[in-house]
Every structure is written in structure tokens, then in C-alpha cells.
């Protein structure tokens, strides 16, 4: 990819003649007008705006035909590697910040509501239910971590019965769905109690790379970017009448937070202290960890009203 970019002519729009600019603009206008009769006004707006921005990009960078071909080859490779468990286009959206921009537009800050962040490709719908205080780890390896908190609305009222989905990678940086043995590990759902409280055993999150063995990984390499994500634990919280929250918590002190998260998901308010506990220290629920060290953290979740 970098070879193609180096061979481009780097002409700037102001270096083209007025006649050439008119030819180019006329094509933009014709394509935009081709969508004029679109019945659905929103679809019309999307297609016409996309046309304008796409042509503006092509004209601004003076795209060469080789580069256009390379772009098509890139998208074709993304299509080929995509299947039921691997979604290269979402990865592309993530590393371009398009996912986080869409989240920002659709989850505007509301009072004290917890901020949203990127969904990622590793959520599955039918994770097992655990009781409050249960363990999501299964056979996923890692340091046990006690996670507790409350679910409230922005008026501070407890939200009982909120459905809390949690999922995370093991200490080797893999989600269960990335193994071929159909294990279910490092994921579960539970419900907040009548006071809005919840707690569970998970694993202390560690950094891991997003899948980078495909075209998106090649693009990151060609541009000198790392595929590694800051350590995190995923949450999705749903409750009637309240805005569904998709978020993570990040580990305070993780150097990746400053180096940069490959999908731009970190928000200051989501960085939490994970307190390391000495081996043998009594656990909150009396669980016997056979002398292992463990960690604990707190995440109080505030849900915005559904309509804001
Ligand atoms: C993740 O957090 O698991 C993730 C997010 C975006 C892209 C790839 C992975
Ligand atoms: Fe993740």
C-alpha cells in the first residue's frame, strides 16, 4: 500500500485547470442528481452526502488508478475474510474511529449517565446467567477479579432487575469464540438486585491485539499503528425505560491508555482502579482462592433515560 501512495502525483486541487475542475464537479453533480428521485428522504440524504464526500476525497488526494485498484482489492480481501465469526468491516470501522464517532453521535452525554464505548465483535447473545456473586471465568485463565457496583438512573434511583452482560478476553488475550473448541468462558449475564446492586467474579483485564491477520492488520502495519487494545472488561446493560448502555471499564495504570487504544475506545470516566489484593487476603464473599492473589474493582453504572 505504501508503495502506491509514494508513487502518487500529489497534485493539489488548486493545481488543476478550471476546465478540469469543471469536468470533475459536473460528474459530482450528475451523480448527486441521480439520487434525486429516491422516495425515502433519509436514504436520499445518505446517498447524496456519501457521493459528495467520496468524490471530495478522490479529488482532494488526486487518487491514482493504481490506488483505486488497491482500495478495491483491500475491500475484496475484507469481504473474503469475513464470515459468521469474523467481521473485518466492523474492525475497519473501529480502527478508523468511525464506530466511536457513531457512538458519540448517538449517545450524547446526559447528566451523570455512564459513557458508552465501542461494542467490539466478541459479544454473543446467549451467554449463561450467573447469580450475583457468580463467576464468569469458566475455563478462561487469569487473575480472579471481584467486580461490584450499582445500577441507578440519572436521578440516583436504584434500577432493580437491570440485565448486565459482561464479557472479556482471557490472560492470553483471546475471547472464548476465538478458540475452536466451542467453549463458553469469560462471559455471562446477571441481574441487579432490588437495591440496584450487582457483583461478580471476573478476570483482571490484560491488553490484547484486535484480530490483525487480515487486511485491516496489514493496513495498521503499513501505517505504523499497533493493533493492541487497552485492557478492558465489556458491559452491556439494559433496563426498561432506560437507554441501553454498551461500554467497558479500563484498568487505571495500563500503559496502553497513554500509548493509544487501537479502536479509540478509552474515555477518562471509564478508567477504574483495580486494586491488587495480596495472596490469601479474605475475599468479599468468603470464596477460597487457595492462596492466589486477586484484584477488586468498583463500577457504578448510571443509565440515561431512553429518550434523550
Ligand atoms: C474488543 O474489544 O474486543 C474489540 C473491539 C474492537 C475491535 C476488535 C476487538
Ligand atoms: Fe474486547
Amino acid at each position: 500500500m505504501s508503495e502506491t501512495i509514494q508513487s502518487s502525483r500529489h497534485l493539489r486541487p488548486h493545481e488543476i485547470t478550471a476546465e478540469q475542475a469543471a469536468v470533475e464537479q459536473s460528474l459530482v453533480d450528475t451523480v448527486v442528481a441521480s439520487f434525486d428521485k429516491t422516495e425515502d428522504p433519509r436514504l436520499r440524504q445518505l446517498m447524496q452526502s456519501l457521493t459528495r464526500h467520496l468524490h471530495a476525497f478522490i479529488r482532494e488526494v488526486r487518487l491514482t488508478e493504481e490506488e483505486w485498484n488497491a482500495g478495491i482489492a483491500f475491500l475484496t480481501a475484507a469481504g473474503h475474510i469475513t464470515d459468521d465469526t469474523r467481521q473485518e468491516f466492523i474492525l475497519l470501522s473501529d480502527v478508523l474511529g468511525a464506530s466511536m464517532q457513531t457512538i458519540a453521535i448517538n449517545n450524547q452525554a446526559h447528566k451523570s449517565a455512564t459513557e458508552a464505548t465501542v461494542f467490539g465483535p466478541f459479544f454473543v447473545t446467549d451467554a449463561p446467567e450467573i447469580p450475583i456473586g457468580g463467576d464468569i471465568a469458566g475455563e478462561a485463565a487469569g487473575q480472579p477479579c471481584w467486580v461490584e457496583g450499582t445500577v441507578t438512573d440519572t436521578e440516583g434511583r436504584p434500577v432493580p432487575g437491570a440485565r448486565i452482560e459482561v464479557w472479556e478476553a482471557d490472560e492470553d488475550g483471546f475471547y472464548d469464540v476465538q478458540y475452536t473448541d466451542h467453549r463458553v468462558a469469560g462471559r455471562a449475564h446477571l441481574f441487579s438486585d432490588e437495591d440496584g446492586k450487582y457483583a461478580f467474579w471476573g478476570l483482571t483485564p490484560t491488553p490484547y491485539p484486535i484480530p490483525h491477520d487480515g487486511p485491516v492488520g496489514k493496513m495498521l502495519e503499513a501505517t505504523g499503528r499497533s493493533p493492541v487494545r487497552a485492557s478492558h472488561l465489556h458491559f452491556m446493560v439494559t433496563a426498561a425505560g432506560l437507554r441501553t448502555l454498551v461500554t467497558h471499564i479500563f484498568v487505571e495504570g495500563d500503559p496502553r491508555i497513554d500509548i493509544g487504544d487501537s479502536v479509540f475506545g478509552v474515555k477518562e470516566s471509564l478508567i477504574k482502579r483495580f486494586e491488587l489484593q495480596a495472596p490469601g487476603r479474605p475475599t468479599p464473599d468468603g470464596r477460597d482462592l487457595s492462596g492466589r492473589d486477586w484484584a477488586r474493582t468498583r463500577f457504578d453504572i448510571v443509565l440515561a433515560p431512553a429518550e434523550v
Side-chain angles (χ1 to χ4, degrees):
M1 177 180 275
S2 54
E3 281 164 31
T4 334
I5 289 167
Q6 277 155 18
S7 71
S8 71
R9 285 163 288 139
H10 299 298
L11 273 183
R12 300 223 170 80
H14 67 261
E15 291 168 324
I16 61 172
T17 63
E19 281 141 311
Q20 174 65 19
V23 168
E24 294 171 9
Q25 188 56 47
S26 159
L27 178 59
V28 179
D29 295 343
T30 305
V31 181
V32 168
S34 77
F35 292 111
D36 276 350
K37 294 204 180 75
T38 308
E39 264 183 41
D40 179 338
R42 177 63 173 165
L43 181 59
R44 187 186 327 125
Q45 180 190 22
L46 292 175
M47 295 315 299
Q48 293 188 324
S49 177
L50 176 64
T51 301
R52 286 192 200 95
H53 286 272
L54 180 61
H55 283 251
F57 163 73
I58 294 169
R59 296 175 73 193
E60 181 190 310
V61 302
R62 310 309 297 168
L63 194 72
T64 68
E65 285 166 294
E66 291 85 352
E67 288 163 348
W68 183 85
N69 276 323
I72 296 294
F74 176 88
L75 292 175
T76 305
H80 284 158
I81 204 171
T82 294
D83 61 20
D84 288 350
T85 57
R86 172 71 180 260
Q87 231 302 354
E88 198 73 359
F89 292 100
I90 294 182
L91 276 190
L92 180 59
S93 165
D94 293 342
V95 300
L96 292 178
S99 305
M100 281 305 290
Q101 193 66 273
T102 308
I103 289 163
I105 288 166
N106 289 282
N107 295 270
Q108 288 185 40
H110 180 76
K111 295 188 180 170
S112 56
T114 304
E115 292 190 278
T117 189
V118 64
F119 196 39
F122 296 122
F123 173 72
V124 299
T125 46
D126 46 6
E129 181 176 346
I130 55 164
I132 289 181
D135 190 351
I136 73 163
E139 58 187 295
Q143 180 184 63
C145 181
W146 176 256
V147 183
E148 66 187 337
T150 53
V151 184
T152 59
D153 65 15
T154 50
E155 304 305 317
R157 292 178 293 232
V159 179
R163 182 180 174 114
I164 305 166
E165 302 270 358
V166 284
W167 67 106
E168 63 177 322
D170 64 18
E171 67 180 1
D172 295 317
F174 295 109
Y175 286 81
D176 53 0
V177 290
Q178 293 176 284
Y179 292 94
T180 51
D181 58 6
H182 305 293
R183 73 183 68 178
V184 177
R187 68 177 71 244
H189 72 274
L190 66 161
F191 294 92
S192 55
D193 71 12
E194 59 279 10
D195 300 318
K197 291 186 180 150
Y198 75 92
F200 62 90
W201 282 100
L203 302 170
T204 308
T206 50
Y208 66 89
I210 64 168
H212 57 110
D213 55 343
V216 168
K218 282 205 188 96
M219 185 273 280
L220 292 178
E221 202 183 336
T223 54
R225 283 180 51 184
S226 166
V228 177
R229 292 221 56 202
S231 314
H232 61 274
L233 168 61
H234 292 262
F235 282 77
M236 177 161 73
V237 187
T238 45
L242 297 166
R243 185 159 82 190
T244 293
L245 173 69
V246 174
T247 197
H248 329 326
I249 51 173
F250 295 90
V251 180
E252 189 181 88
D254 175 3
R256 272 283 144 197
I257 290 175
D258 293 329
I259 298 170
D261 177 46
S262 55
V263 300
F264 311 100
V266 179
K267 289 180 172 171
E268 200 62 35
S269 68
L270 300 175
I271 301 172
K272 303 293 171 192
R273 183 165 303 154
F274 283 69
E275 290 167 5
L276 184 60
Q277 310 292 312
R281 182 154 186 191
T283 55
D285 60 348
R287 181 180 177 185
D288 179 4
L289 289 172
S290 309
R292 294 183 63 190
D293 56 5
W294 56 285
R296 67 184 301 164
T297 192
R298 180 169 191 94
F299 180 35
D300 291 323
I301 297 163
V302 181
L303 299 180
E307 305 300 333
V308 280

